[in-house]
Amino acid sequence: MKKLFSVLCFLLTALPVFAFQLVKDRKPAAVFISSPSVPLRHIGAFNQFLKECSGTALPVEKQGIGGKNEIRFNIEKRSMENEDDFSIAFPEKNVMLITGSEISVRWALNRILEDFAGVRFVFPGKNGAHCPKFSDLDVPEKTIAAHPSFNLYREFYFNEPEWGACLNEK
């Protein structure tokens, strides 16, 4: 019985988690799908840090192009109580869906940079982020959801809006 339990535990932990590829060999493996509701400044900021790390940025298209993974957005008007919530899901093969408010989709993109690209926002300014170099970037196809315990107004003592957005300032 112990052996059977051990074998089952091993098999369950050995199951593969599929990866959603963003960058392969320093070339884009995904595209952003834009719509009028998507804040392009958030995509631009994400691409700035991605380019610093990998030497490439992800293109922005109005519709999918064959052979590339797609990053789509679902921007929702939300109340103050849940405007900080976001999710990153994989509803279809080759599709990443980021759902959130106009503000929180930036935080979802920051989460990808921090958790999977290793970016660290250390201090404000042009050279204030640590951007490790890599040639491939994959995100595990596992749903990520963020629901802050307290919705707070966050403002910092410096007047640098882009830096504040990196730190999830409201």
Side-chain angles (χ1 to χ4, degrees):
M1 188 60 142
K2 276 187 174 181
K3 285 184 182 182
L4 179 62
F5 180 73
S6 298
V7 169
L8 284 175
C9 287
F10 172 76
L11 290 175
L12 289 176
T13 59
L15 290 175
V17 174
F18 296 102
F20 186 87
Q21 218 168 37
L22 296 178
V23 177
K24 175 73 173 162
D25 297 326
R26 297 192 175 273
K27 292 185 174 40
V31 297
F32 284 108
I33 304 300
S34 176
S35 69
S37 65
V38 175
L40 293 177
R41 70 184 183 280
H42 297 336
I43 294 173
F46 177 88
N47 270 335
Q48 172 190 343
F49 292 109
L50 184 64
K51 189 168 188 173
E52 181 71 27
C53 293
S54 69
T56 193
L58 302 183
V60 180
E61 303 289 341
K62 291 194 184 294
Q63 59 187 18
I65 56 177
K68 297 257 187 191
N69 289 333
E70 298 176 6
I71 304 170
R72 299 179 190 164
F73 294 90
N74 180 21
I75 309 294
E76 300 174 340
K77 290 199 181 291
R78 295 182 169 183
S79 67
M80 186 184 296
E81 290 81 30
N82 63 4
E83 74 175 349
D84 293 347
D85 297 357
F86 68 82
S87 67
I88 302 170
F90 302 88
E92 303 171 32
K93 184 176 177 9
N94 300 330
V95 174
M96 175 190 288
L97 179 64
I98 298 175
T99 301
S101 68
E102 185 178 329
I103 297 169
S104 67
V105 294
R106 169 66 187 266
W107 303 341
L109 293 170
N110 287 350
R111 179 81 169 262
I112 293 168
L113 288 169
E114 292 171 340
D115 289 359
F116 306 109
V119 173
R120 298 294 178 257
F121 302 108
V122 184
F123 56 87
K126 183 179 177 195
N127 298 315
H130 167 70
C131 298
K133 306 298 183 208
F134 55 78
S135 58
D136 296 334
L137 177 60
D138 298 331
V139 175
E141 289 186 8
K142 189 172 100 177
T143 299
I144 298 169
H147 309 284
S149 298
F150 296 99
N151 293 315
L152 303 174
Y153 179 79
R154 295 175 291 279
E155 187 170 347
F156 301 101
Y157 65 91
F158 50 85
N159 186 15
E160 198 164 324
E162 188 55 37
W163 176 249
C166 290
L167 298 179
N168 301 346
E169 177 185 47
K170 268 187 171 176

